[in-house]
Structures are given as structure tokens and as C-alpha cells.
Amino acid sequence: MDAIEQVLAKARAELVIHEAGRVASVGPGVARVRGLPGVQSEELVSLHGRLLGLAYNLDPDEVGVVLLGASNELAAGSFAHRTGRILDVPVGGELVGRVVDALGNPLDELGPLRTRQRRPVERPSPPILHRAPVTRPLQTGLKVIDSLLPIGRGQRELILGDRQTGKTAIALDTILNQHGRDVVCVYCSIGQRSSAVAEFLAYLRRHDALSYSIVVVASGNEPPGVQYIAPYAATTIAEYFMEQGRDVLIVYDDLTRHARAYRELSLLMRRPPGREAYPGDIFYVHSRLLERATQLRPERGGGSLTALPIAETQSQNISAYIPTNLISITDGQIVLSPQQFRKGILPAVDVGRSISRVGGKAQLPCYRAVAGELRLSYAQFEELEVFARFGTRLDEASIATLERGRRVREVFNQLQYQPMPVAEQVAVLLAASEGQLNAVPVKQVSKAEQMIRSRVTSELPAICQRMESGEPLSDEDRAELLRVIEEVLTAFEEAAS
Ligand SMILES: Nc1ncnc2c1ncn2[C@@H]1O[C@H](COP(=O)(O)OP(=O)(O)O)[C@@H](O)[C@H]1O
Ligand SMILES: [Mg+2]
């Protein structure tokens, strides 16, 4: 017998049943399919040979399918097949440094991904018993956030603000600040202009931050189904590292657009609209996403997933439907103010309306020397400033509060792409909160700040080291810091006069 006959003898004819349906109609981003009676919810359906879709609405005689790609070639009558698979993405260390789409296909020119594993896009969030409290800080490198609104690893902190108020900038600076800190960063862009994404990528590259980051892009011209799955896919990619015991930061930019994509899908599927025309399950859509962020217990590897979802408000209306939902799901919010942005107070964080609910316990102990005092006096200052605008005559104590507050605000001011190390932050914040900067004209504060930073790092390396490593600021260290600051400022004033 020759080889062919041997193979034929072994082969047995088997009946394989494929369900083959037909597309009944195609809409923007969705299709209706007839003839797939056994299809399961969220099963992948192959349309017209190449295009994939998600079985979404299971009606008795028709399936509503969310398209995961361009529908140009699809028409009524095209074939549709069940695949028996659910949507998954490649995961693994190979993804670091890469730019991928929502299905995990590379968008950069670094060739195919050689990952060995795939994981479902929708995964259950870690059970309570696997979770540990948030106790370790995630430094953003931004003074106003690290001191007053500290973020802990495993926390979910919403960044909320109108368009063009610096939301993306805060996320970008936080990613840049993870340079050399063994944190994997995942940036998920949803529904943005491609040019904005390209710009973001250029900044990441320029600051050498892509080497420890993964970018997942579903831009605004993708079908709504792709935008809808993008954050879940990005989270699956991020969870892989968390489950290896690593610390991961994920940014969703932004969930307002994500909600809009989901609304579009639901309306196309003729699901009943609710408030602001969003479907009734929009809360669940975001809560099941953000619930996946956590700090795992040591027995579970001790990894963490910190989430920074971004939401865009319109005319500062934080009580609109999506922002309120997100506020109630997250552990706090950083609210950005367009008024402050216009005045050039950057980052434009509205300290009075922002909060970080779990981060306080995770804040590095050295910040405690300054944070409590700063928060209180800054709040007083903001109140007083409004009052002072009416030209009221103020007593001396109020004038002092005003003068100090102006300098604290000047110190909080921080340009983009300049995240600051812990010890330097504490040194300048100490100078401001102790009123040592009061003699410096407000316009010169940033110059004085530079000098304090360089002197403190060069003269007190041991103290800086202790602060970074999580030791509290002892009284001697504090006195030593204040002494050096005093020296710097005396020299500064002499040079100025
Ligand atoms: N701290 C900052 N210093 C200087 N420029 C900033 C700062 N934060 C934001 N910007 C600038 O403001 C503009 C809007 O910021 P962006 O983060 O894109 O806003 P949003 O994401 O809220 O629309 C950008 O050009 C950005 O470079
Ligand atoms: Mg933005």
C-alpha cells in the first residue's frame, strides 16, 4: 500500500454540522443575521469569510451582531458562520513596547506579535478574597496630586474635566513618572482622533516611555463595537502582568466616548434607551470594567492594577449621567477646572472638588509632614482669595494666609513632562507651607524652587534616600531640610537685591 492509501484507510467519514446563516441586513457597525439558531451570547460570528462580529442580541429568529471591523464588503445575503469561540486577545510580555488595536493586532511596524497565550476580553473581576487593601503609593510626579490627592496602587481614580483642561496630560505625566520603577503602563485610547493618538505616541517615544508601556488604540473612526471592546481588551492585557505579581497602571482615555459608542450600539440594536438615551446597563458596563482594578493579596502574587479612567464633562457639569456613574464607581476623582487652566494654573486641579478616598493610607510617610497643613491652609486661601477680590480690608493674619497661599499655588504649578521625585517635592512643599517662601516675590518662586531642589539633592542625599524609601521625616531631618532651604533663600535674596 502506498502512503495515500494508508491515510485513506485510517480516515473515517464523519458528519460535521455547521450552522450557516445569512446576513439579513447591515447597518453602521451592526448586522442582523438569520439562520444561526444555536449561537450563544457574545460568541464570535464570522461574516463573509473574514469579518468578525459578536453575537449580541439573541432574538428568536434573528441575531443582532456587533461588527468588529469595516463593513464595506458585507451585504444582505452574505454568509455567516458560528465560530464557537469567544473574543480573546493575545497576552504576554511581548506586548510591552507595542501599539495594538482592540483585537490585539499590531498597529506599529515592529512585525507580528509572538505571544503564546490568548485570554478572553471579558473576564470576571478578582473575588474579594483575593484582594488586599491599598497600601502602596503610585507616584504621579505631580506635586499637587502626590501631596493632596495621593493615589495608591490598586486604586481607581477618575480624572474629570472639560475638553482641553489637561486630563490626558496628567495621565501622560503619570506614565512618564514610572520610568525605571518597574510599573507596566497600559494606555487605552477610545474614540479619539488619530492625530491626537499619534501625538501621544510621539511623546511616549520621545521620553522613552514606550519601552515599558503598551498602547491599545480604538480611534474615533473605528466601528462602535471596536471602541466598545477596547477597554476590556486593554484590561485583559494589563491583568496578565498583575497576575505575574507586577504593578500595572492602566489609563482609559476616555470613558465618556466609550459610553457614547455603547449607546450607539444599543440604539442600533434597538434596545430601549434610558436617561440621556443611554441603555439601562451602562452603569454595569463601566462598573464591571473598573472592578477589575485591584491590589491582589500576597498569596496571589501581590500584583496590582491601578486604573485612571478619564471622563470628559461639558460645561463642568459633573452631575451628568456618565460622570456621576463613574464618580460612584471609582475611589475618588481629580476634577480639572477650565477657569484655572485659562489663568495658567497648571495642572488645573480644582483641589476643593477633588478627592482621593483610599490613597491617603498609601501615601509615603514623608508627605505627612506637609500634606495636612497644606490642605487646610490651601482651602483657607482659596476662600479668602474670593473674598479679597471685593477689595475688602484684611487683617494681618489674612494677608499672611494670602501671601503664603499664592506661593503654595505657584509651587503646585508644574509644566508638562516634568514629573518630580518625592524628596524634591517634599522639600519645596515644606518651604511653601512653612512660609519660608513668603519673602520671595511670587514671580520668582519657580526659580527659588529650582535652587532648593538642586541644593537639597546635592547636600542631603541621605535624607532624600530615606524619604523615597518610605521612612517618615524625623524632626532632625526636617530641621536639616529647613536649614538648607533657609540658606538657599538667603543667597537668593542677596542675589536679587
Ligand atoms: N501642566 C501643563 N503644563 C503645560 N501645558 C499643559 C499642562 N497640562 C496640559 N497642558 C496643555 O494643555 C493642552 C490640553 O491638554 P490635554 O491633556 O490634551 O487636555 P484634555 O485631555 O483635557 O483635552 C495640551 O496642549 C497640553 O500640552
Ligand atoms: Mg485628552
Side-chain angles (χ1 to χ4, degrees):
M1 269 205 293
D2 62 14
I4 295 178
E5 278 175 20
Q6 273 181 19
V7 174
L8 281 177
K10 266 193 224 150
R12 282 214 258 118
E14 262 181 65
L15 199 59
V16 182
I17 301 175
H18 280 292
E19 281 181 29
R22 293 262 194 183
V23 173
S25 66
V26 184
V30 298
R32 305 194 151 266
V33 175
R34 293 229 166 102
L36 296 179
V39 75
Q40 309 224 330
S41 177
E42 313 224 326
E43 181 175 336
L44 277 179
V45 177
S46 147
L47 300 158
H48 199 67
R50 287 209 12 231
L51 181 61
L52 285 178
L54 273 183
Y56 186 69
N57 261 18
L58 305 185
D59 296 333
D61 53 349
E62 228 183 33
V63 186
V65 175
V66 171
L67 302 180
L68 300 177
S71 58
N72 315 351
E73 293 177 18
L74 204 62
S78 303
F79 274 108
H81 296 278
R82 287 183 56 186
T83 62
R85 285 168 47 209
I86 52 167
L87 186 62
D88 55 11
V89 281
V91 296
E94 296 83 351
L95 277 150
V96 176
R98 302 297 301 261
V99 183
V100 297
D101 68 13
L103 301 174
N105 303 312
L107 293 173
D108 49 19
E109 272 121 46
L110 300 175
L113 277 167
R114 305 202 186 283
T115 51
R116 255 170 274 135
Q117 278 188 56
R118 297 185 74 85
R119 288 196 184 160
V121 161
E122 294 268 7
R123 301 175 78 218
S125 59
I128 305 251
L129 288 175
H130 295 180
R131 296 175 183 241
V134 170
T135 52
R136 296 173 303 140
L138 185 102
Q139 296 295 133
T140 63
L142 296 167
K143 283 167 281 189
V144 60
I145 297 179
D146 287 343
S147 65
L148 299 185
L149 305 160
I151 299 172
R153 297 191 179 194
Q155 183 175 348
R156 301 155 303 170
E157 182 82 3
L158 179 67
I159 302 176
L160 194 62
D162 284 7
R163 54 182 293 278
Q164 291 288 307
T165 48
K167 302 183 296 299
T168 305
I170 289 183
L172 179 57
D173 276 344
T174 308
I175 293 177
L176 298 189
N177 196 45
Q178 307 312 316
H179 198 279
R181 282 174 202 256
D182 200 25
V183 175
V184 180
C185 301
V186 179
Y187 176 78
C188 178
S189 162
I190 309 156
Q192 302 200 44
R193 285 173 295 116
S194 307
S195 59
V197 181
E199 222 169 86
F200 186 90
L201 279 173
Y203 286 124
L204 280 189
R205 287 217 175 85
R206 192 174 314 156
H207 293 90
D208 187 31
L210 199 57
S211 56
Y212 54 89
S213 305
I214 301 166
V215 179
V216 180
V217 182
S219 63
N221 48 20
E222 303 270 358
V226 175
Q227 296 182 42
Y228 164 63
I229 60 159
Y232 302 100
T235 310
T236 295
I237 289 171
E239 277 169 343
Y240 170 84
F241 298 98
M242 171 175 76
E243 284 160 19
Q244 309 267 312
R246 307 272 305 268
D247 290 313
V248 190
L249 166 71
I250 188 162
V251 176
Y252 306 106
D253 195 1
D254 63 61
L255 289 188
T256 320
R257 291 201 173 87
H258 180 247
R260 278 190 214 132
Y262 187 65
R263 173 170 68 184
E264 193 177 334
L265 272 185
S266 302
L267 292 176
L268 287 166
M269 291 287 177
R270 304 198 198 110
R271 289 195 174 180
R275 190 172 152 193
E276 292 181 23
Y278 287 103
D281 62 345
I282 187 71
F283 185 88
Y284 174 61
V285 161
H286 285 157
S287 66
R288 75 166 188 263
L289 173 70
L290 293 170
E291 275 297 306
R292 288 165 73 176
T294 191
Q295 163 76 59
L296 291 177
R297 297 183 75 86
E299 308 90 271
R300 293 276 151 190
S304 69
L305 178 61
T306 312
L308 293 182
I310 296 180
E312 187 171 291
T313 50
Q314 276 168 351
S315 336
Q316 301 182 68
N317 181 11
I318 61 173
S319 47
Y321 191 29
I322 301 302
T324 37
N325 274 355
L326 287 169
I327 285 173
S328 67
I329 295 167
T330 48
D331 308 305
Q333 69 273 355
I334 294 172
V335 180
L336 300 178
S337 136
Q339 287 88 354
Q340 265 177 247
F341 191 90
R342 256 176 263 127
K343 282 191 213 147
I345 305 172
L346 296 169
V349 177
D350 185 337
V351 174
R353 294 164 86 193
S354 306
I355 186 170
S356 173
R357 289 196 194 89
V358 295
K361 290 179 212 97
Q363 194 175 35
L364 282 178
C366 57
Y367 280 101
R368 302 214 176 110
V370 290
E373 167 67 21
L374 267 181
R375 178 173 270 288
L376 194 69
S377 64
Y378 198 65
Q380 281 173 349
F381 158 69
E382 286 193 316
E383 236 169 64
L384 206 57
E385 201 188 25
V386 176
F387 195 60
R389 231 180 277 149
F390 300 117
T392 346
R393 294 229 342 238
L394 298 166
D395 59 284
E396 240 159 63
S398 307
I399 292 173
T401 310
L402 270 181
E403 288 299 311
R404 187 172 54 172
R406 291 208 177 99
R407 284 158 183 84
V408 170
R409 183 159 70 196
E410 194 62 24
V411 165
F412 280 153
N413 243 4
Q414 196 167 338
L415 284 180
Q416 241 182 316
Y417 321 123
Q418 298 177 4
M420 198 184 283
V422 174
E424 295 172 37
Q425 287 191 24
V426 173
V428 289
L429 290 172
L430 190 65
S433 72
E434 290 290 308
Q436 281 182 306
L437 288 174
N438 284 8
V440 179
V442 175
K443 286 220 155 52
Q444 308 258 336
V445 164
S446 74
K447 210 164 149 200
E449 181 184 338
Q450 282 301 334
M451 293 172 68
I452 293 174
R453 288 174 61 185
S454 61
R455 273 286 281 282
V456 166
T457 40
S458 65
E459 270 187 41
L460 307 171
I463 296 181
C464 292
Q465 175 62 35
R466 280 205 286 280
M467 287 199 266
E468 302 260 0
S469 66
E471 280 182 41
L473 197 64
S474 67
D475 289 343
E476 298 87 69
D477 288 353
R478 185 193 168 96
E480 192 70 349
L481 268 175
L482 287 173
R483 182 186 63 76
V484 170
I485 294 168
E486 194 63 56
E487 269 177 37
V488 174
L489 292 177
T490 318
F492 187 77
E493 278 158 41
E494 276 165 14
S497 60

